[in-house]
Amino acid sequence: MTHSFDEAIALTPDGSGSVTARTHPDWANMVGPYGGVTAAVALRAVLEHPEVQGRPAALTVNYLAPIADGEYTLTAVPVRTNRSNQHWTITATQEGKTLLTGTALFAQVRETWSDTEADFPQVPPPAEVAPRPGALPLPWLNRYEMRVIDGEIPEGPEQARADSATQQWFRHAEPRGWDFPALASACDVFFPRIFLRTGERAPAGTVSFTAYFHAGAEELAAQGEYLLGVAQGSRFGHGLFDQAAQIWGESGDLLATTHQLVYYK
Amino acid sequence: MTHSFDEAIALTPDGSGSVTARTHPDWANMVGPYGGVTAAVALRAVLEHPEVQGRPAALTVNYLAPIADGEYTLTAVPVRTNRSNQHWTITATQEGKTLLTGTALFAQVRETWSDTEADFPQVPPPAEVAPRPGALPLPWLNRYEMRVIDGEIPEGPEQARADSATQQWFRHAEPRGWDFPALASACDVFFPRIFLRTGERAPAGTVSFTAYFHAGAEELAAQGEYLLGVAQGSRFGHGLFDQAAQIWGESGDLLATTHQLVYYK
């Protein structure tokens, strides 16, 4: 049986050099698909391209408008390939309208001096943190089992917090390993930081998303079920806020650092 | 007399919807122009476009290959305009080769709940920090007066540090106010974080750059001469590291948060 994430990121070549994706009901968000699965689809349009070289290093995706239920088209273009890097542009369209623009950097694996400078957060292991209970109202939320250590969605304004930091363990609700598309999707796993600050759930959505992938394919495949996500905003104003986040493996590998700019009302 | 930064970001419409830029000797880096001025030129290709709406909110620029001395062409395309946002793609070419890809988000100014959550760093004022002395070997380094509070470029491996954090005040060497192109350029003002960790100056260069602009035009124009930049990397490996940075005004306004992925040997 195919995992619903793999169903959601399945691509079919359309014969013209582009690929067709199809929204998946399991991964629906408030309006359109969960942005993380869309980022994964965009990355996969490169990963599945016949000219791809190297491993994903950076991905930027801009969400221009909601994707309607059904099929949409992705076009990945290898703009430049040099000895160490390959640069891509990515667009998604649906019925002639552009819904996503993006760029990706793929890199050859090279041995160099290396170090993880960021500190692995001091948190209890996943087994000591309670999962979010029951069925949640948005389909995609049920595709990850989330165990929020600190910074859960407030119930109302009386729970508004002085900071927007969240730490959470999460895993696929149905078992599945970690690879680059799954990691891209994991980078968008956090609810909007504005909810923590105001305690209210005003409309909010990511408009620009960037992920830097630090792990290689083998390192990713060696991860356990749970990843640790930590996220925080730094400035909220004029209807936009930023979020900076890290995605860690359970044994302390910093798999990705990721940033987004989020619209809110 | 025109400021050399304004000379360096000057654009001329080429009659086909694109604009022509020209490298400026004052802003040369080791190979090609300083990446900050290239980011500013890319942003300006949108700012000067007849269809632009709103103010810059996000900018991603990928550096595909060095720009050779002389003219190059920028093409900014307004892919989608909706009530609150305008999405752009940007490319730069020189003699038929694509040297830069990018995307930009422009946003309408809306009044919303607002807060700066990040803490302004506890640092001495610029007057209490010594400027970097003398003429520096790369032209662009002399276009900013830099006053490094902590995390200066090491002289050699014996000065390698356990972390890659830098805090520095900087201002235009020749007085000039702050606007969006100048802020975009300021986001790239830091030397490669790898230098701090190894103490060596191996070849290094930004491959992907993202800036989120938190300040509006009036807030930017109201800044004093000095900005405060703080930057740090989180993981170095396989020839790439990330840098996360904040750009603050002297009175505590968080003007931009910015990230980049940097190639190193």
Side-chain angles (χ1 to χ4, degrees), chain A residues 62 103 110 112-115 117-118 164 197 212 219 232 234-236 238-239 254 257 259-260 263-264, chain B residues 62 103 110 112-115 117-118 164 197 212 219 232 234-236 238-239 254 257 259-260 263-264:
Chain A
N62 302 289
T103 59
R110 294 181 290 127
T112 59
W113 184 88
S114 67
D115 184 59
E117 179 169 325
S164 66
R197 298 302 314 281
Y212 298 149
E219 185 178 340
Q232 187 162 10
S234 61
R235 185 168 173 184
F236 304 73
H238 299 302
L254 180 57
T257 45
H259 310 93
Q260 51 180 267
Y263 166 99
Y264 66 95
Chain B
N62 302 289
T103 59
R110 294 180 290 126
T112 59
W113 184 88
S114 67
D115 183 59
E117 180 169 324
S164 66
R197 297 302 313 281
Y212 298 149
E219 185 179 339
Q232 188 162 8
S234 62
R235 186 169 172 184
F236 305 73
H238 298 303
L254 180 56
T257 45
H259 311 93
Q260 51 181 265
Y263 167 99
Y264 66 95

Side-chain angles (χ1 to χ4, degrees), chain B residues 205-237:
Chain B
T206 305
V207 279
S208 190
F209 163 98
T210 291
Y212 298 149
F213 304 113
H214 299 293
E218 300 75 17
E219 185 179 339
L220 265 183
Q223 299 303 314
E225 278 187 277
Y226 285 98
L227 302 186
L228 173 67
V230 300
Q232 188 162 8
S234 62
R235 186 169 172 184
F236 305 73

